Amino acid sequence: MTIQNPIPTTARPDFHRVHNGTKAPLQFTGAEYDARIAGLRAIMAEAGVSAAVLTSMHNVSYYSGFTYCSFGRPYALVVTDTQVVTISAGIDAGQPWRRSHGDAITYTDWTRDNFWRAVAHVAGTGAVVGFEGDHLTLDQHRKLLTFLSPSQVLDIAPATMRQRMHKSAAELELIRAGAAVADVGGYAIRDAVRVGTREIDVAMAGRDAMELEIARRFPEAEYRDTWVWFQSGLNTDGAHNPVTSRKLEHGDILSLNTFPMISGYYTALERTMFVGEVDDASLAIWQANVAAHEYGMSLLKPGAACAEVTHAINDFFADRGLLQYRTFGYGHSFGVLSHYYGREAGLELREDVDTVIEPGMVISMEPMLTLPQGAPGAGGYREHDILIITEDGAEDITKYPYGPDFNVVG
């Protein structure tokens, strides 16, 4: 049943369609989503899959445009050779319909596992089902087998990841805009740095500036989840350390990290900074990390393998006696991802990733050195640029300056 004006019901259906209002403008055109679905159906055909049940936030968002908010509830996009249908919880009312490309079914919570009844309604039973092995829990996998009675199940997560790694022209345009928004946040943070100012106050200045810029650039978008990690002193030792109320002191090392979110797409800017002045020991480490950053960016080009790039930067640090201070990989893919969903693990600059870099991919370069408390130059040093791989090299779309000449502030 389709409910044009939803009202409380005593019929208590297992699922229904809540088409409240009309379709909202999505970030991408219908043709863009159709092309993505065509790519998914090609993956399905090659694997012999007749129904794909995608449950991750990143794949539901990538193929439908709807970025769900789970809050402990299951969601899915079910794709067959004729249907593209989001399966969403009743708490969202008509939002999944308005913000998705394709059909939308809402399941109710009157009976446990109505989610899987709605999935089976679209996917059918006895089919060859594709699922995301890196997302579906053991409990939900058991329910998939129970309610869909598939003749076979196949993990299509790696193939969908490979599809997402290659960006369309429309995606590249959005990612460029996101990088520009991240730069806006960086400048706002730079202006807010003062001795005695709290980390949280600086972080809010950057976040507010980015949200205003996103609203200016994308007046019809949804706005959520843009954030800043701004760290100082000891708190810079980890790349993802949360913001605190610590007050900035003269000579502090700082870590600027801005993360605008636009329609499920994450971009980032990360920079080392100092308050007022930088001592000689810290300056030497900072300059070494900047040199590694520049060297690493020069290596990002078509034909280079992720592991080869990683080993080359390792050698660069080892020659300077600094490799022991490196803490994680040197970069990763960008696109539909966030700090709580999505990860194109096949395009990370790590020793165990052999993916060959190709035009149309988007990858960061972000070397980080962390020296422990008490050591000369103690703190975490990190620079981060986003690069689009072109036919003959790479385009750096991060424009906020890095290094000591611009980032000794306050």
Side-chain angles (χ1 to χ4, degrees), residues 10 105 107 180 226 230 238 253 277 345 365 377 400:
T10 57
I105 289 178
Y107 70 90
T226 290
F230 179 78
I253 185 173
E277 66 175 342
M365 175 52 60
Y400 182 99

Short mmCIF file of all heavy atoms in Angstrom, two decimals, residues 10 105 107 180 226 230 238 253 277 345 365 377 400:
data_model
loop_
_atom_site.label_atom_id
_atom_site.label_comp_id
_atom_site.label_asym_id
_atom_site.label_seq_id
_atom_site.Cartn_x
_atom_site.Cartn_y
_atom_site.Cartn_z
N THR A 10 -4.19 0.90 12.30
CA THR A 10 -4.45 -0.25 13.16
C THR A 10 -4.28 -1.56 12.39
O THR A 10 -4.38 -2.63 12.96
CB THR A 10 -5.86 -0.18 13.76
OG1 THR A 10 -6.81 -0.10 12.67
CG2 THR A 10 -6.02 1.03 14.66
N ILE A 105 10.66 1.08 0.38
CA ILE A 105 9.71 0.35 1.22
C ILE A 105 10.09 0.59 2.67
O ILE A 105 11.26 0.56 3.04
CB ILE A 105 9.72 -1.16 0.90
CG1 ILE A 105 9.07 -1.41 -0.47
CG2 ILE A 105 8.99 -1.95 1.99
CD1 ILE A 105 9.07 -2.87 -0.88
N TYR A 107 9.59 -0.71 6.55
CA TYR A 107 9.13 -1.82 7.38
C TYR A 107 8.70 -1.29 8.74
O TYR A 107 9.21 -0.29 9.24
CB TYR A 107 10.20 -2.91 7.50
CG TYR A 107 11.43 -2.55 8.31
CD1 TYR A 107 11.50 -2.79 9.68
CD2 TYR A 107 12.55 -1.98 7.70
CE1 TYR A 107 12.62 -2.47 10.42
CE2 TYR A 107 13.69 -1.67 8.42
CZ TYR A 107 13.72 -1.92 9.79
OH TYR A 107 14.84 -1.60 10.52
N ALA A 180 37.64 22.16 -1.30
CA ALA A 180 37.62 23.62 -1.15
C ALA A 180 36.93 24.02 0.16
O ALA A 180 37.36 24.97 0.83
CB ALA A 180 36.91 24.26 -2.34
N THR A 226 29.35 17.12 9.37
CA THR A 226 30.62 17.83 9.19
C THR A 226 31.26 18.01 10.57
O THR A 226 30.59 18.37 11.54
CB THR A 226 30.38 19.19 8.53
OG1 THR A 226 29.99 18.97 7.16
CG2 THR A 226 31.61 20.07 8.57
N PHE A 230 40.56 19.11 16.30
CA PHE A 230 41.64 20.07 16.50
C PHE A 230 42.34 19.71 17.80
O PHE A 230 41.73 19.72 18.87
CB PHE A 230 41.10 21.50 16.55
CG PHE A 230 42.17 22.53 16.79
CD1 PHE A 230 43.00 22.93 15.76
CD2 PHE A 230 42.36 23.07 18.05
CE1 PHE A 230 44.01 23.86 15.99
CE2 PHE A 230 43.36 24.01 18.29
CZ PHE A 230 44.18 24.40 17.25
N GLY A 238 47.84 11.16 18.35
CA GLY A 238 47.01 10.28 17.54
C GLY A 238 46.24 11.08 16.50
O GLY A 238 45.75 12.18 16.79
N ILE A 253 52.50 22.51 19.81
CA ILE A 253 52.24 21.91 18.51
C ILE A 253 50.73 21.70 18.38
O ILE A 253 50.05 21.38 19.36
CB ILE A 253 52.99 20.57 18.35
CG1 ILE A 253 52.80 20.02 16.93
CG2 ILE A 253 52.58 19.56 19.41
CD1 ILE A 253 53.65 18.79 16.63
N GLU A 277 55.57 30.22 18.03
CA GLU A 277 56.92 29.89 17.56
C GLU A 277 57.12 28.39 17.59
O GLU A 277 56.38 27.66 18.25
CB GLU A 277 57.98 30.58 18.42
CG GLU A 277 58.03 30.09 19.86
CD GLU A 277 59.17 30.72 20.65
OE1 GLU A 277 60.10 31.25 20.00
OE2 GLU A 277 59.13 30.66 21.89
N ALA A 345 39.26 -0.19 1.32
CA ALA A 345 40.53 -0.72 1.82
C ALA A 345 41.46 -1.16 0.70
O ALA A 345 42.67 -1.32 0.92
CB ALA A 345 40.27 -1.88 2.77
N MET A 365 47.59 11.81 0.41
CA MET A 365 48.95 11.60 0.89
C MET A 365 49.00 12.25 2.26
O MET A 365 48.76 13.46 2.39
CB MET A 365 49.97 12.22 -0.06
CG MET A 365 51.42 12.16 0.44
SD MET A 365 51.99 10.50 0.93
CE MET A 365 51.82 9.58 -0.59
N GLY A 377 61.24 17.64 20.26
CA GLY A 377 60.28 17.68 19.16
C GLY A 377 59.06 16.82 19.38
O GLY A 377 58.40 16.40 18.42
N TYR A 400 45.08 24.75 0.80
CA TYR A 400 45.57 25.39 2.03
C TYR A 400 47.06 25.07 2.19
O TYR A 400 47.46 23.91 2.13
CB TYR A 400 44.77 24.89 3.23
CG TYR A 400 45.16 25.52 4.55
CD1 TYR A 400 44.42 26.56 5.09
CD2 TYR A 400 46.27 25.06 5.26
CE1 TYR A 400 44.78 27.13 6.31
CE2 TYR A 400 46.65 25.63 6.46
CZ TYR A 400 45.89 26.67 6.98
OH TYR A 400 46.25 27.24 8.19
#
